[in-house]
Amino acid sequence: MNNKIILLHLPIMNYIQKDFINEEGGYNPSLGIMALGTYLELNGYEPIVIDMCYERMKVRELIEKIQGIDPLFIGISVYTENFNQAIKLTQQLKSNIKGIKIALGGPHPTLQPMECIEKDTVDFVIMREGESIILELAEAIRTGERLIKYEDIRGLVFKRGGRSIKNKYKHFISDLDLLPIIKRELADAARYGGYINISTSRGCPGRCIYCSATTLSGASYRVRSEYSIYLEMLLIKNIWSEKLFKIYIVDDTFTAIPERLNNFMDLIERFDFKINWQCESRIDVMNELLLERMHKSGCIAVQYGIESGSQEVLDKLRKGINLDRAIEIIDATYKNNIIPCLSFMLGHYCDTKETMWQTAYLIKQLFEKYKAEIAVSYNTPFPGTFQYIKSKELGMNILTNSYEKYTLLDPIVETKNFTVDDQREVFYFCSKYVGHYDAIEKQMGGWTYVS
Amino acid sequence: MLADKRVVIRAKSSLSFAGEIKKYTNDSKGILLKPSERSEIKIWFPMDEIECIIYPNGEVKKGEELVW
């Protein structure tokens, strides 16, 4: 039987796509898909990663390509906003490729596994971390379940005799250092632009109620060691030296454990490693001394989720940050020559028109004073998350079941305190401060490739 | 084509691996697994880290049964 497994990443609307790729901007192929491909390859399979965000091939071309490969099965990574698109694709694949098996994984199948498996054209759903589950599934399909039965694969949802069966969740991987370093050549990562994403942890220590991280990754926060991170960066730099502008650490809170961060920077200093890097952090785990050291070790930008300009709203969201302290940290970030990248949301359950305008004026202030990179989105309660399940209790009226609108760029919530138009009005005001992707280049005085 | 004698090793870290067992050693108490025929990589599993082994016929061994 063929050992080839196709892994598909479908387009999503809120992503910067191929047409916008340049050295600094652009986007990276899905780390999740490449992680699964790497794991399958380590274990003897031949993964074929197809990034439909980049390829833009027609469905007919995709079908012909898959027919030529004759894979063991197809895995598709699915977000809420492209769920319907994914299902349409599975229908076309099933009707054109006899006997093909299809597995869905990623955020939406993890949040809504039964909704996914109940579609006629979906054979399997993989919940949460997929490495071991997709490998065991491959072994089950390859051996006709002689080696392992679907019932015995934790984290798998499948069909048997016309019934949908949801197995127990698989425990989270306890030691992330045991995972192989992602093989980015699987998606030809070099063609995407001047930065490379890496992930150094799973889960988030925060418990903000608007976020899906805990639902997706569980309450456990797990990290890779500083040695593992350093080795991956070293490998990336050796492979992409001329093309690499920066490494983007995509963790929700890279700086959550100061000891690990300091140990990581010790390695950078000890080996005089020259690399530009950017990370995401939280106000409550950052301080002036760390920022000074981060700048010296190559950090060029830090993203903070501020989310609101109202302290009362932040407290109700369990965000755990103080706005006065946030401004101090943003100021210290700027003064250490690190670009502050700040994200905000409009339409929190406890927002009012007044608090949303407080957010807008804070954005204006921070942009004008620090030339911060600003991102603004609408609060979007994704199905399966706390906000979605508790929407009535929170006083939120979710206006649409059309998943295509769950892009973060369409307001889909109203409360008694604000309407969709109220949010759009504030968003429009904020938009002039949003998306200044050239900020890093300008503030660094031109391109500074690492060599 | 992958070999019929592949096993699945479930580790206590919650990771699974698949491949051919290349070496059992009682002295060092562990297993050497060769996961891919296209690579010379082998993975060493200390016995204490193995949750269970699933053999090609579906037989599952764990705990005391792993002593040979």
Side-chain angles (χ1 to χ4, degrees):
Chain A
M1 188 173 275
N2 201 330
N3 300 328
K4 293 175 179 169
I5 296 168
I6 289 179
L7 300 170
L8 279 179
H9 182 59
L10 303 183
I12 48 177
M13 290 302 292
N14 67 353
Y15 237 69
I16 300 165
Q17 296 187 2
K18 180 180 177 181
D19 296 349
F20 298 92
I21 291 174
N22 58 36
E23 288 83 351
E24 181 192 343
Y27 77 105
N28 258 213
S30 159
L31 269 179
I33 283 284
M34 289 191 293
L36 295 184
T38 303
Y39 203 74
L40 287 167
E41 186 172 276
L42 172 70
N43 284 279
Y45 289 90
E46 294 181 54
I48 295 160
V49 171
I50 302 175
D51 179 5
M52 298 293 282
C53 262
Y54 188 97
E55 302 290 351
R56 301 276 181 90
M57 65 175 70
K58 292 177 180 170
V59 173
R60 170 48 52 193
E61 293 172 57
L62 178 67
I63 288 169
E64 286 171 3
K65 182 165 183 166
I66 294 172
Q67 284 169 329
I69 293 167
D70 186 25
L72 188 61
F73 67 95
I74 299 172
I76 307 177
S77 175
V78 183
Y79 296 84
T80 299
E81 69 169 89
N82 63 20
F83 172 69
N84 292 327
Q85 183 188 10
I87 296 305
K88 281 180 191 161
L89 179 63
T90 62
Q91 290 163 351
Q92 289 171 294
L93 294 173
K94 283 277 189 184
S95 62
N96 284 282
I97 309 172
K98 191 180 175 189
I100 191 72
K101 289 186 167 55
I102 297 175
L104 301 189
H108 191 77
T110 293
L111 294 169
Q112 297 286 89
M114 298 315 287
E115 178 186 30
C116 295
I117 198 67
E118 281 160 14
K119 300 292 180 187
D120 292 341
T121 47
V122 176
D123 299 295
F124 307 103
V125 173
I126 291 171
M127 302 181 289
R128 297 183 173 170
E129 293 171 316
E131 285 93 344
S132 294
I133 305 168
I134 199 168
L135 173 62
E136 292 192 10
L137 176 61
E139 291 293 329
I141 294 173
R142 181 182 68 82
T143 63
E145 294 189 81
R146 191 178 64 256
L147 173 61
I148 185 168
K149 294 195 180 333
Y150 300 141
E151 282 84 349
D152 297 327
I153 303 175
R154 279 192 166 219
L156 185 72
V157 188
F158 65 102
K159 289 170 179 153
R160 177 91 74 198
R163 285 177 51 231
S164 299
I165 300 170
K166 182 182 168 192
N167 291 343
K168 288 181 180 173
Y169 286 110
K170 189 167 180 65
H171 297 302
F172 289 109
I173 299 164
S174 59
D175 184 353
L176 299 181
D177 285 349
L178 295 175
L179 289 167
I181 286 177
I182 289 174
K183 185 178 176 182
R184 291 170 172 82
E185 296 89 330
L186 288 174
D188 193 9
R191 64 188 176 171
Y192 286 82
Y195 74 94
I196 297 285
N197 286 345
I198 74 168
S199 168
T200 79
S201 67
R202 292 186 181 180
C204 179
R207 295 289 175 265
C208 313
I209 71 160
Y210 54 80
C211 184
S212 59
T214 303
T215 316
L216 289 169
S217 307
S220 64
Y221 177 59
R222 296 150 293 141
V223 298
R224 290 168 57 193
S225 70
E226 60 273 18
Y227 299 103
S228 170
I229 303 165
Y230 180 77
L231 283 173
E232 182 168 15
M233 284 190 167
L234 197 60
L235 185 66
I236 289 169
K237 189 181 171 188
N238 284 342
I239 293 175
W240 282 284
S241 58
E242 291 302 314
K243 292 179 177 175
L244 186 65
F245 170 61
K246 68 178 177 187
I247 287 179
Y248 192 116
I249 302 168
V250 300
D251 308 28
D252 289 322
T253 314
F254 177 59
T255 62
I257 303 173
E259 186 185 2
R260 184 181 76 133
L261 177 61
N262 275 309
N263 291 343
F264 166 67
M265 293 190 289
D266 283 346
L267 288 171
I268 287 184
E269 284 175 17
R270 191 196 306 169
F271 296 105
D272 195 24
F273 186 49
K274 304 290 185 199
I275 192 89
N276 294 332
W277 55 280
Q278 176 173 352
C279 69
E280 302 190 5
S281 182
R282 287 174 59 96
I283 295 297
D284 56 343
V285 293
M286 187 56 83
N287 63 56
E288 287 79 353
L289 286 175
L290 268 182
L291 284 163
E292 189 178 339
R293 196 167 180 215
M294 286 165 68
H295 168 65
K296 287 177 182 166
S297 69
C299 179
I300 57 171
V302 177
Q303 191 270 344
Y304 303 105
I306 308 297
E307 314 307 354
S308 175
S310 159
Q311 186 64 53
E312 190 181 343
V313 168
L314 290 172
D315 292 343
K316 286 181 177 172
L317 296 173
R318 300 181 210 154
K319 179 66 184 167
I321 67 171
N322 176 280
L323 271 179
D324 293 334
R325 181 61 181 154
I327 291 169
E328 286 174 7
I329 290 294
I330 292 163
D331 187 71
T333 305
Y334 179 74
K335 285 177 176 162
N336 276 291
N337 293 313
I338 296 174
I339 315 297
C341 307
L342 311 173
S343 59
F344 296 85
M345 286 197 291
L346 303 171
H348 295 292
Y349 83 94
C350 47
D351 254 330
T352 62
K353 280 192 273 188
E354 186 185 358
T355 60
M356 288 192 293
W357 279 109
Q358 285 175 0
T359 301
Y361 291 127
L362 178 63
I363 288 170
K364 178 176 187 288
Q365 176 195 333
L366 295 173
F367 178 81
E368 289 175 347
K369 188 164 184 185
Y370 302 113
K371 290 288 177 280
E373 274 199 26
I374 303 290
V376 182
S377 61
Y378 295 108
N379 179 34
T380 304
F382 287 96
T385 60
F386 175 84
Q387 276 199 113
Y388 189 88
I389 295 163
K390 301 284 184 186
S391 60
K392 294 294 176 213
E393 291 163 48
L394 294 170
M396 300 167 82
N397 183 20
I398 299 174
L399 301 171
T400 178
N401 289 322
S402 175
Y403 286 162
E404 286 84 353
K405 292 191 180 295
Y406 285 60
T407 63
L408 308 174
L409 300 175
D410 251 327
I412 62 163
V413 165
E414 283 186 348
T415 71
K416 65 179 182 182
N417 293 315
F418 61 80
T419 65
V420 160
D421 286 341
D422 293 333
Q423 295 172 79
R424 285 205 173 107
E425 186 183 358
V426 180
F427 192 94
Y428 180 74
F429 173 86
C430 296
S431 61
K432 66 186 112 175
Y433 308 113
V434 169
H436 289 261
Y437 294 114
D438 57 0
I440 290 177
E441 180 187 1
K442 283 180 180 167
Q443 292 186 44
M444 291 185 70
W447 288 104
T448 312
Y449 279 115
V450 175
S451 59
Chain B
M1 184 84 134
L2 292 169
D4 287 338
K5 48 190 174 182
R6 278 166 68 89
V7 302
V8 168
I9 296 181
R10 286 182 176 153
K12 288 183 178 166
S13 60
S14 203
L15 279 169
S16 300
F17 296 84
E20 289 182 59
I21 292 178
K22 285 295 177 190
K23 191 178 177 188
Y24 297 81
T25 76
N26 281 324
D27 293 343
S28 45
K29 292 188 177 173
I31 285 174
L32 197 60
L33 187 81
K34 188 171 186 299
S36 174
E37 291 164 4
R38 296 184 296 133
S39 150
E40 289 307 310
I41 289 175
K42 298 183 185 74
I43 302 171
W44 173 252
F45 292 85
M47 198 60 81
D48 290 347
E49 295 298 321
I50 298 175
E51 179 72 40
C52 71
I53 300 176
I54 308 171
Y55 288 88
N57 62 358
E59 183 186 10
V60 180
K61 287 191 176 181
K62 61 174 98 170
E64 297 287 308
E65 298 169 320
L66 291 174
V67 179
W68 45 76

